[in-house]
Amino acid sequence: MSIRRVKAAIKKFNKFLITSHINSEADAIGSQVAMASLLRKLGKVAVMLDDSPVPSLLQFIKGTEEISKEMPHDFDYQAVIILDSPDLTRIGRVNEYIKKNAVIINIDHHISNINFGKFNWVEPEFSSAGEMVYDLFKAFKVKIDLDDAIALYAAIMTDTGSFRYSNTSSKTHRIAAELIDIGVKPYEMHTKIYETSSVQDTNLLGESLQTMKLTEDGKIAWLWVTKEMLKKTKASLEGTEGIINFARSIDGVEIAILFRETGTEDKVKVSFRSKGKVDVNKLAGLFGGGGHPTASGCTVFGKIEDVEKKLLEKAKEIASLRSQ
């Protein structure tokens, strides 16, 4: 489906519920805030509702204070816009607020998206949901102000790994240039998102790095974050963001994996990263997850030692198939 049908759907309705995936990061947050702004500039009513709280390091983005964790009792929406989520299970508790016959507008760039909406605009070639929302501003010929630009830049910058990942296109750079012309300061954005960590989170990084292991051929590297580490360092779950990149950056590593214990017994969140040679979306898909070819994840039930064993077996198979 093209952007035209999504544009027509947005024109048709006046009251929108906006949401994204659990454990929100900058693309989920930035694209929601920008989408809400776009709808309001079109004279629509928009309410943002997420399962997870806004990470503290993203609260500098104007509009994030409006993202609620509880549905307003008197809000009778006509359509739901779900951003940056491959399926409905990923929006978590927000599912409870979606009416059975709700009109769902699905806007996403994950290759694993299952086209769950009535209106589906899925673009795996796009860098981010933020880039897609930018295109909607252009389609409606609505001016992007500085607050919009900051939200969109945060979304695009983070999902491209500061414009380093393979999903970065010439279009991505042109959009970034326009947002900078509007007033975004790249150095300030990078500092606020990537260079603002607590002592606790830095201590957690140190604990996690001590668990790093590599396969004999050096193609797979993996680390743990356990509940004990979080308790010992008093770090936040936000502090686990970026840890996996230290494994990914090792010369020769093709697959990086982070195993993170959750607050639930025998439930492990697993993140995968690739440098492009291996499609980790396929690996995540074997365990009910998904994402992108170079960045995916899943949640697996079991003790972390057992989950590690199962995941590594499949990772080794995929890595060996890639080398044949």
Side-chain angles (χ1 to χ4, degrees), residues 28-266:
I29 297 296
S31 59
Q32 284 181 88
V33 169
M35 175 61 76
S37 175
L38 171 62
L39 292 173
R40 289 163 186 164
K41 287 178 178 180
L42 292 169
K44 315 285 185 178
V45 178
V47 168
M48 293 177 281
L49 176 71
D50 279 358
D51 178 277
S52 311
V54 177
S56 58
L57 60 81
L58 297 177
Q59 290 174 10
F60 73 91
I61 299 172
K62 190 174 179 183
T64 54
E65 69 281 358
E66 297 178 15
I67 298 177
S68 176
K69 287 193 70 182
E70 297 298 332
M71 184 74 172
H73 297 299
D74 57 348
F75 185 59
D76 186 22
Y77 62 85
Q78 298 164 310
V80 185
I81 295 179
I82 301 178
L83 293 150
D84 199 38
S85 186
D87 58 62
L88 281 172
T89 63
R90 289 284 290 148
I91 66 172
R93 194 172 47 84
V94 177
N95 260 315
E96 299 169 14
Y97 299 105
I98 295 181
K99 294 176 280 194
K100 275 190 177 180
N101 298 318
V103 174
I104 294 176
I105 301 171
N106 167 27
I107 300 174
D108 186 31
H109 68 125
H110 290 90
I111 197 169
S112 56
N113 192 287
I114 61 171
N115 293 299
F116 56 85
K118 181 173 182 180
F119 298 92
N120 299 288
W121 180 32
V122 179
E123 299 278 7
E125 297 301 312
F126 278 51
S127 71
S128 54
E131 189 170 310
M132 298 176 76
V133 175
Y134 167 90
D135 274 10
L136 278 171
F137 269 90
K138 294 301 177 181
F140 278 106
K141 297 180 180 176
V142 171
K143 183 180 178 182
I144 297 171
D145 63 29
L146 181 56
D147 290 334
D148 302 329
I150 288 170
L152 292 171
Y153 191 91
I156 295 168
M157 178 182 72
T158 52
D159 250 33
T160 58
S162 295
F163 310 99
R164 292 178 292 125
Y165 296 162
S166 58
N167 60 349
T168 307
S169 65
S170 57
K171 179 190 173 186
T172 311
H173 281 293
R174 285 193 293 272
I175 293 170
E178 181 181 334
L179 300 178
I180 291 167
D181 286 342
I182 291 168
V184 171
K185 294 180 170 56
Y187 173 74
E188 286 185 7
M189 294 289 289
H190 194 278
T191 299
K192 285 174 178 175
I193 293 176
Y194 291 115
E195 297 176 13
T196 307
S197 63
S198 66
V199 171
Q200 291 87 348
D201 291 349
T202 304
N203 287 335
L204 176 64
L205 171 62
E207 293 281 332
S208 181
L209 288 175
Q210 290 181 56
T211 72
M212 193 186 312
K213 297 175 185 173
L214 280 81
T215 51
E216 286 186 15
D217 60 9
K219 290 182 179 178
I220 304 171
W222 67 99
L223 318 94
W224 286 13
V225 170
T226 65
K227 286 181 282 188
E228 286 75 21
M229 289 180 198
L230 288 165
K231 187 177 179 181
K232 178 183 175 181
T233 60
K234 295 183 173 60
S236 63
L237 286 176
E238 291 175 36
T240 63
E241 291 296 322
I243 288 177
I244 193 171
N245 294 325
F246 287 86
R248 181 182 177 274
S249 67
I250 296 170
D251 187 29
V253 166
E254 293 184 1
I255 302 174
I257 309 173
L258 176 67
F259 299 92
R260 192 183 81 194
E261 286 185 329
T262 68
T264 308
E265 284 294 320
D266 298 339

Side-chain angles (χ1 to χ4, degrees), residues 111 159 165-167 244-245 248 254-256 271-282 291-297:
I111 197 169
D159 250 33
Y165 296 162
S166 58
N167 60 349
I244 193 171
N245 294 325
R248 181 182 177 274
E254 293 184 1
I255 302 174
S271 299
F272 305 98
R273 295 292 184 271
S274 160
K275 290 177 181 172
K277 291 181 179 179
V278 179
D279 184 349
V280 290
N281 175 59
K282 291 180 180 177
H292 305 288
T294 57
S296 290

